[in-house]
Amino acid sequence: MSKEKGLHPRNKFNTGYNFDVLVQNNPNLKEFVATNNYGNLSIDFSNPKAVKELNKALLFSYKDLSVWDFPDENLCPPIPGRLDYIHHLSDLLSSEENIKILDIGTGATCIYPILGVAEYNWTFIGSDIDLDSLDYAQDIIYDNKLEEKITLRQQFNEQNILKGIIEDEDYFTATMCNPPFYKSAEEAQGANRRKTKNLGNNAVRNFSGNNNELWYVGGEKAFLHNYLYESSLFKTKSKWFTSLVSKKENIDSLEKSSKKLGAVEFKVIPMNQGNKVTRIACWRF
């Protein structure tokens, strides 16, 4: 299998997919696997059910993970890309011990905490504003016997990100976040239609997601600056604050604002996954 372009060297999926092994991990994947035009086993990536079963199979390559159930309405995270964030965070925290992470917007899939535990045995607190998502995430935690490593908290105020979540006794090695990209439901739906047109009419649910997963008033830039401002209110509560940043143009304003708020270091970690380019912004006080 050819190496995926740009995946972290420690990413266990950076040599492509062995579908024979993946079907063993998740037998439900078998019905979606077929020989493609190049004579290789693959799936139809425009079929959201196939994509979900593939990602389950990837996740179940960790022997301690065997259950990952969540509604089709929630985003199905691509496991290799999510794992890359974990590996890059590990590099950032290489000198640290007893690592504890706050995952902002953990979602129904609880993906970053379960990957962080599986790969590095970190401890997590996951926050989310959506109670239904937290219920599904809690079931995943129980089903995989991870309750000693992952704790969930609900954010009750949609205006807040860290306020109402970080408690007096908390101290985190780092925070992490995959922020909403879009400014409104309409913008998210427009992007969905464009992606659907590119992949085929049956791809709609491949890009589904609850409102809080997809959009935030003011879009990614507004979310990031709110997150940055609130991090300045909790300077001593986390050694590093980090976030994925989809739009490159948001980096400059974030860095300038971080300096005004007293950050002593700001760095950007590039991530390349196939044709997708993104980055992790990291700052500390």
Side-chain angles (χ1 to χ4, degrees):
M1 293 284 185
S2 62
K3 184 175 179 178
E4 291 284 338
K5 183 170 64 176
L7 286 176
H8 192 283
R10 292 198 303 278
N11 194 312
K12 65 191 296 182
F13 307 115
N14 67 4
T15 54
Y17 301 148
N18 184 326
F19 280 93
D20 291 325
V21 172
L22 291 174
V23 167
Q24 293 178 23
N25 294 345
N26 177 22
N28 293 332
L29 176 63
K30 185 175 182 179
E31 67 175 286
F32 301 105
V33 177
T35 303
N36 63 19
N37 294 334
Y38 302 98
N40 301 319
L41 291 179
S42 187
I43 65 166
D44 176 3
F45 283 91
S46 71
N47 183 338
K49 292 183 179 179
V51 169
K52 189 171 183 177
E53 295 302 336
L54 170 62
N55 280 287
K56 282 188 175 185
L58 296 172
L59 191 63
F60 296 164
S61 64
Y62 292 99
K63 62 181 178 63
D64 293 331
L65 298 177
S66 59
V67 182
W68 195 46
D69 294 324
F70 55 92
D72 290 342
E73 287 76 15
N74 292 96
L75 292 172
C76 180
I79 299 301
R82 297 298 188 262
L83 185 56
D84 250 28
Y85 192 169
I86 294 291
H87 284 310
H88 284 294
L89 201 56
S90 173
D91 292 342
L92 183 70
L93 306 177
S94 59
S95 63
E96 303 295 325
E97 297 180 353
N98 301 317
I99 290 173
K100 184 176 183 180
I101 305 293
L102 171 60
D103 177 32
I104 301 161
T106 200
T109 66
C110 200
I111 190 58
Y112 286 124
I114 60 179
L115 284 175
V117 175
E119 195 70 42
Y120 293 110
N121 199 35
W122 293 344
T123 299
F124 280 82
I125 287 178
S127 70
D128 206 285
I129 197 165
D130 187 83
L131 182 58
D132 288 338
S133 293
L134 289 172
D135 285 343
Y136 283 105
Q138 190 65 62
D139 286 342
I140 290 170
I141 292 167
Y142 285 145
D143 290 340
N144 293 286
K145 299 179 173 59
L146 294 171
E147 52 265 40
E148 291 187 3
K149 302 298 294 186
I150 305 171
T151 303
L152 301 178
R153 294 177 185 173
Q154 185 177 9
Q155 173 60 264
F156 292 100
N157 187 336
E158 63 182 16
Q159 304 300 320
N160 294 340
I161 297 172
L162 299 174
K163 289 188 288 188
I165 293 297
I166 294 181
E167 300 176 353
D168 289 343
E169 65 274 16
D170 283 333
Y171 178 77
F172 298 100
T173 322
T175 66
M176 66 186 307
C177 182
N178 186 0
F181 294 155
Y182 304 109
K183 297 179 181 179
S184 66
E186 290 73 23
E187 185 180 24
Q189 289 164 1
N192 189 11
R193 284 192 294 272
R194 289 191 294 275
K195 292 176 181 178
T196 300
K197 184 177 181 181
N198 290 337
L199 279 177
N201 289 333
N202 65 335
V204 175
R205 293 178 70 81
N206 209 3
F207 302 98
S208 61
N210 288 343
N211 286 344
N212 59 292
E213 294 176 314
L214 292 173
W215 64 274
Y216 182 86
V217 176
E220 181 184 72
K221 183 176 182 179
F223 183 94
L224 288 169
H225 280 268
N226 190 16
Y227 177 20
L228 172 64
Y229 168 70
E230 289 196 15
S231 72
S232 73
L233 305 178
F234 297 96
K235 294 179 180 180
T236 63
K237 291 298 186 179
S238 184
K239 181 165 185 178
W240 284 98
F241 297 89
T242 77
S243 180
L244 288 179
V245 180
S246 176
K247 298 177 180 177
K248 184 179 180 180
E249 59 267 26
N250 289 336
I251 288 290
D252 287 343
S253 65
L254 198 65
E255 182 173 11
K256 290 176 182 177
S257 294
S258 75
K259 298 296 189 289
K260 291 179 181 178
L261 290 168
V264 297
E265 187 173 1
F266 185 98
K267 62 170 62 180
V268 180
I269 302 171
M271 293 204 304
N272 297 285
Q273 299 152 17
N275 294 322
K276 181 181 179 183
V277 178
T278 186
R279 56 213 55 81
I280 306 170
C282 316
W283 63 94
R284 64 185 182 91
F285 295 96

